[in-house]
Amino acid sequence: MNIGRLDIDKKKTISWIVLTVLLILFSLAAGNIEKTPLVNTKGNSYERAKVVKILRDNVAEDGQRYGSQTVQVKIQTGELKGKTETATSPSSMLYGADCKVGMNVIVILNVAEGSKVVTVYAQNRQVAIYSFLALFAIIVCAIGGWKGAKALLGLVYTFVAIFCVMFPMVYRGYSPIFVAILVSMFSTLVTLVLLGGLTRKTVTAVLGTTAGVAIAALAAKLFGFSAGITGYNVSNIDQLLYVAAGTKVQIGELLFAGIIISSLGAVMDVGMSISSTIEEIHIANPAYGRADLFRSGINVGKDMMGTMINTLVLAYAGGSLSTLIMNYAYDLSYNQLMNGYIIGIEIMQGLSGSMGVVLTVPITAALSAFLISRKAKTAGESGQTEMDSVEE
C-alpha cells in the first residue's frame, strides 16, 4: 500500500472540505441581505405556460410580423395554475415570442383589483439551457474523466463565489475591485486544489494568478486615468446611476472589476502552466538551480503569451462585434472612432488584461523557482525524501 499516496488523497479531501465550508459560510454571511426595491412588482409574476390556440396572428403578406399576436395559454405555475387565459404576444425583438400551438412560454401575470393582464414575455428556454449544460458536462467528463469532473466542480465553485459572495458584497458597498480580486484568488485556489491538490505548485500558481489579475486592474485604472475613462462612461450608465441612487453599489469600479473577472481564466492558465512546467523540469533534473528554473519558466511563458493575448483580445472583440460592425457600417472617421468611449474601453480591457497575462509569467516563474529550489535544498540538508507536507 502506498502510504504517501493515501496521505496526499487525505490532504486533498480535507482541503476540499475546508474550502467548501468556507464558501458556504461566506455565502451565508454575504447573502443575508435585504434588497432595496427599485421597481414596483406588486401584482406581477412570471409564470410558465403553454400556447393552446392562436386567436389572432400577426404575419403579413411579406412574411414579417407586425403588431402583436393574441393567443390562448394554459398557465402551468402560480395562482392561476391550470387556467386558460388570453394573452398578448408583442413582436418586439427583445420581448414576446413567435407563438405556435404547443409552444412553452413564460408569461407576465399582472393581477390587481380583480383584473388581470397576461402578456407573453419570452419562449421558455430552460429546457434548451439545461440540456446544453448537461451535454457540456457529459463531453467534459467523457474526454477529461475524473479530471474533467473536478474541472466542472471548480467551475461551479467559481460561479457560486461570484453570485453568492461577490454580488452581495458589492451590493453592500464593498469595493468591487477588492472583492473581484478576493473572489479571483479563492476561485483560483479552489480550481487548482481540485486539480492538483494543495502543493507548492498550486501555491505558486495561486499567488502568480492573484498578482496577474491585480496588475490587470492596476493597468486598467492607469489607462482610464490617462485616457479620461471612468466606470461612468459605460453605455448602460443611466440604469447604473438609478441602481446607485437606491443602493450602496460603487458603480464607478464595476468596469474595472469586470476586467479582473474577464482576465481570470487566461491568467490562471498561464500561472498554472508555468508553475507545473518548472516543477516537472525540477523533477527531471534536480540539479537545476533557481536561475535555470526561472529561465525555463520564462521560455515556456514566451510561447504562451501570444495565444493567451489573442484569447483575451479576441474575446473582448467578439463580445462587442455588433458594436464594431455598426461603427464600420456608419463609416466613422478615425478621430471619431479612436476617441469614443466605446472603443477606448475595449482597448483598455484588451491591453490591461494582456498586461496581467504577460507579467504573470515572470512573477510565477520567480515564485516557482524559489520555492522548488528551496524545497530541494531543505530536503537535501535534512536527508529526507522529495515528499513534503504540501507535495503531491
Side-chain angles (χ1 to χ4, degrees):
M1 182 181 294
N2 192 333
I3 302 300
R5 182 73 257 174
L6 290 177
D7 288 340
I8 294 168
D9 292 338
K10 182 179 179 181
K11 290 170 185 174
K12 283 185 179 181
T13 303
I14 293 174
S15 300
W16 297 345
I17 294 174
V18 170
L19 291 172
T20 302
V21 171
L22 286 175
L23 180 60
I24 293 173
L25 292 177
F26 271 111
S27 300
L28 292 175
N32 186 19
I33 187 172
E34 184 176 349
K35 293 183 180 179
T36 303
L38 298 176
V39 180
N40 183 10
T41 59
K42 184 178 180 180
N44 286 355
S45 64
Y46 289 76
E47 308 295 347
R48 296 198 301 271
K50 187 172 184 177
V51 178
V52 295
K53 188 176 182 180
I54 307 296
L55 299 178
R56 185 178 63 84
D57 211 341
N58 60 345
V59 181
E61 294 182 358
D62 60 0
Q64 299 297 319
R65 292 188 176 274
Y66 303 96
S68 60
Q69 286 178 300
T70 303
V71 300
Q72 279 188 341
V73 296
K74 186 174 183 179
I75 310 298
Q76 297 175 330
T77 59
E79 59 180 303
L80 299 181
K81 180 179 179 180
K83 294 185 177 181
T84 300
E85 301 288 344
T86 300
T88 300
S89 178
S91 60
S92 168
M93 293 293 181
L94 299 178
Y95 305 102
D98 180 8
C99 293
K100 297 177 177 61
V101 175
M103 176 183 286
N104 293 312
V105 295
I106 301 297
V107 298
I108 306 173
L109 296 183
N110 189 325
V111 181
E113 299 179 357
S115 65
K116 56 179 176 286
V117 177
V118 184
T119 306
V120 176
Y121 171 70
Q123 179 180 343
N124 190 341
R125 302 183 176 96
Q126 296 176 29
V127 174
I129 291 173
Y130 292 130
S131 297
F132 271 86
L133 283 175
L135 178 62
F136 171 72
I138 291 172
I139 292 174
V140 171
C141 292
I143 296 177
W146 180 232
K147 285 276 188 179
K150 289 191 287 187
L152 288 175
L153 184 58
L155 186 62
V156 172
Y157 267 83
T158 299
F159 274 96
V160 171
I162 291 174
F163 284 96
C164 298
V165 177
M166 180 178 175
F167 286 0
M169 290 184 69
V170 170
Y171 189 87
R172 288 175 180 270
Y174 289 95
S175 167
I177 294 177
F178 169 77
V179 176
I181 293 176
L182 183 67
V183 168
S184 297
M185 186 174 183
F186 180 82
S187 173
T188 304
L189 178 63
V190 169
T191 302
L192 299 187
V193 166
L194 284 172
L195 293 176
L198 189 59
T199 65
R200 277 188 165 85
K201 174 178 68 177
T202 300
V203 171
T204 54
V206 170
L207 294 176
T209 301
T210 304
V213 295
I215 289 171
L218 178 61
K221 291 288 286 185
L222 292 175
F223 185 100
F225 176 78
S226 61
I229 296 175
T230 70
Y232 293 90
N233 301 129
V234 294
S235 58
N236 59 340
I237 186 58
D238 291 335
Q239 295 92 328
L240 288 175
L241 287 173
Y242 181 71
V243 171
T247 66
K248 298 179 181 179
V249 177
Q250 300 181 35
I251 62 171
E253 293 188 8
L254 292 178
L255 172 63
F256 305 101
I259 293 174
I260 294 174
I261 299 299
S262 298
S263 61
L264 174 60
V267 174
M268 187 192 307
D269 189 9
V270 171
M272 188 59 177
S273 298
I274 297 298
S275 181
S276 181
T277 298
I278 290 180
E279 184 182 64
E280 291 300 320
I281 292 174
H282 167 70
I283 293 173
N285 191 348
Y288 263 37
R290 291 178 181 173
D292 295 321
L293 293 174
F294 177 76
R295 280 194 295 269
S296 298
I298 292 294
N299 290 334
V300 172
K302 289 178 181 179
D303 294 332
M304 298 183 63
M305 287 179 189
T307 56
M308 288 297 102
I309 291 174
N310 280 340
T311 298
L312 280 175
V313 173
L314 292 177
Y316 286 123
S320 302
L321 187 61
S322 58
T323 301
L324 296 174
I325 291 295
M326 184 177 65
N327 290 336
Y328 177 82
Y330 275 98
D331 196 21
L332 303 182
S333 68
Y334 174 81
N335 287 334
Q336 181 182 3
L337 188 65
M338 291 301 294
N339 292 284
Y341 283 119
I342 294 178
I343 298 300
I345 289 174
E346 293 301 321
I347 294 174
M348 178 180 71
Q349 290 174 328
L351 291 181
S352 58
S354 298
M355 287 183 185
V357 168
V358 172
L359 293 177
T360 298
V361 173
I363 293 173
T364 307
L367 290 172
S368 299
F370 175 77
L371 288 178
I372 289 176
S373 62
R374 180 174 179 269
K375 176 195 67 180
K377 181 179 179 181
T378 302
E381 290 176 350
S382 61
Q384 298 175 350
T385 64
E386 293 279 330
M387 186 73 70
D388 61 15
S389 61
V390 292
E391 180 81 22
E392 187 178 33

